[in-house]
């Protein structure tokens, strides 16, 4: 390989010499320098240029065995491999190149046509305003690295965005519907799009303002309600203030039980939705003692002689006080006096006015 020079001499019959210098070059044989072809995605236009060196141009290329037939691809005489592969799967063919002097080379190329990109994530969950959002969009098929985008920029101003890796994230700024089209492209010319629609709900908020009072020993039930949020509302007694009261707050917001003591109950109810929105409210209500008016000995009956004796014993013989002072306070002056005793006797023995306890 390289330049060649020589002098050719010819002599005629008369003995007169004649000579001429000739120069030319010995070229290297043609050789294919393209070593591989990239994988691709079905239905995406394909265009790759095969390269050769050496020999004497121009080069002429052919698909030696016609293996590209039916693949949607073809090899042109100038070495360009083009077309649109219509079927996923492996592609293998022998490229044969010939230079202008008849020197040849050939090489087998193999690559894969991958299935089309397809979204496997078809829905995105509803969420709550002000709560951080993070959902991954998944696809199958395609070739190489996939890159995602918000095709029409519809997420602008919502507080959410789509990363190149397909993560929808951010903190929703306002309640309302959201619709956007996610687009994915790959390194093999493939692309696909998917429309997503979901709702941003208003923050969860407790709507119950007050709770009813209750009575010692009596069944108590009250429902604490909320509005807004996403999914189910989950309730708890934030600081465990109900412990020992006989009452329990369930996960679905029912406050129930049998109060054990006369007392004022104060507790903080906290509610959380399925995505982390939180609200809380302080409730205060009272548990009262229950009694029968004039049941001074608190035996569940009365008034009767036993109640009268109990009251007289308390007032004049230093006996025990009534369990519930109000059961003998008939004139509502917040103390037990002779006036209360007279009213009890008058009711029991003289058909006096009905007794009332306040």
């Amino acid at each position: 390989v390289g330049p060649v020079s020589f002098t050719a001499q010819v002599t005629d019959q008369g003995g007169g010499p004649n000579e001429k210098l000739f120069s030319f070059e010995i070229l290297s044989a043609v050789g294919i320098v393209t070593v591989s072809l990239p994988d691709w995605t079905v239905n995406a236009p394909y265009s790759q240029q095969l390269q050769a060196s050496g020999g004497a141009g121009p080069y002429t290329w052919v698909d030696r065995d016609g293996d590209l037939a039916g693949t949607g691809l073809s090899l042109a005489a100038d070495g360009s491999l083009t077309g649109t592969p219509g079927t996923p799967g492996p592609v293998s063919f022998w490229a044969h190149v010939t230079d202008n002097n008849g020197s040849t080379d050939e090489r087998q190329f193999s690559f894969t046509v991958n299935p089309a990109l397809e979204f496997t994530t078809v829905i995105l969950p509803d969420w709550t305003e002000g709560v951080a959002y993070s959902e991954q969009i998944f696809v199958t098929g395609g070739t190489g690295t996939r890159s995602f985008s918000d095709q029409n920029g519809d997420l602008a101003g919502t507080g959410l965005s789509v990363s190149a890796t397909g993560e929808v994230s951010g903190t929703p700024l306002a309640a309302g519907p959201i619709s956007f089209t996610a687009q994915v492209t790959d390194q093999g010319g493939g692309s696909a799009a998917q429309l997503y629609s979901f709702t941003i709900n208003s923050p969860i908020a407790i709507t119950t303002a007050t709770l009813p009072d209750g009575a010692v020993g009596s069944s108590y039930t009250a429902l604490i309600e909320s509005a807004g949020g996403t999914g189910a509302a989950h309730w708890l007694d934030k600081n465990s203030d109900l412990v020992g009261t006989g009452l329990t707050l369930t996960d679905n917001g029912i406050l129930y039980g049998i109060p054990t003591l006369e007392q004022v109950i104060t507790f903080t109810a906290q509610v959380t939705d399925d995505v982390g929105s939180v609200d809380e409210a302080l409730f205060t209500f009272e548990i009262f003692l229950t009694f029968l008016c004039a049941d001074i000995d608190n035996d569940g009956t009365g008034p009767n002689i036993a109640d009268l004796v109990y009251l007289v014993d308390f007032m004049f013989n230093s006996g025990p006080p009534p369990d519930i002072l109000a059961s003998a306070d008939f004139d509502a002056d917040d103390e037990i006096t002779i006036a209360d005793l007279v009213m009890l006797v008058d009711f029991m023995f003289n058909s006096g006015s009905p007794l009332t306890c306040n």
Side-chain angles (χ1 to χ4, degrees), residues 165-300:
T165 58
E167 181 186 13
V168 181
S169 62
T171 300
L173 299 177
I178 289 180
S179 291
F180 77 100
T181 300
Q183 184 178 53
V184 61
T185 57
D186 67 5
Q187 291 180 311
S191 66
Q194 175 73 42
L195 176 66
Y196 293 104
S197 296
F198 56 99
T199 299
I200 303 300
N201 298 301
S202 59
I204 197 166
I206 296 173
T207 57
T208 298
T210 61
L211 291 174
D213 294 332
V216 174
S218 297
S219 179
Y220 183 97
T221 302
L223 177 63
I224 308 178
E225 297 181 292
S226 65
T230 302
H234 305 279
W235 296 83
L236 59 82
D237 170 18
K238 180 181 177 182
N239 301 313
S240 300
D241 294 319
L242 294 174
V243 174
T245 67
L247 300 178
T248 300
L249 181 61
T250 67
D251 181 74
N252 57 359
I254 298 174
L255 180 64
Y256 81 100
I258 298 177
T260 57
L261 297 172
E262 180 184 20
Q263 62 181 311
V264 174
I265 294 177
T266 298
F267 79 103
T268 300
Q270 184 180 78
V271 63
T272 306
D273 72 1
D274 281 341
V275 303
S277 181
V278 180
D279 191 28
E280 57 186 51
L282 184 68
F283 291 99
T284 298
F285 59 101
E286 192 166 356
I287 303 299
F288 296 97
L289 284 172
T290 57
F291 60 92
L292 292 173
C293 187
D295 181 18
I296 299 168
D297 61 1
N298 200 26
D299 67 353

Side-chain angles (χ1 to χ4, degrees), residues 18-36:
N18 190 14
E19 57 186 36
K20 187 173 183 180
L21 177 65
F22 290 93
S23 297
F24 59 93
E25 188 170 358
I26 303 298
L27 301 174
S28 60
V30 68
I32 298 174
V33 297
T34 302
V35 296
S36 65

Side-chain angles (χ1 to χ4, degrees), residues 5-16:
S5 297
F6 70 95
T7 301
Q9 184 181 70
V10 63
T11 303
D12 61 14
Q13 291 180 345

Side-chain angles (χ1 to χ4, degrees), residues 34 37 87 184 316:
T34 302
L37 290 172
T87 304
V184 61
F316 302 108

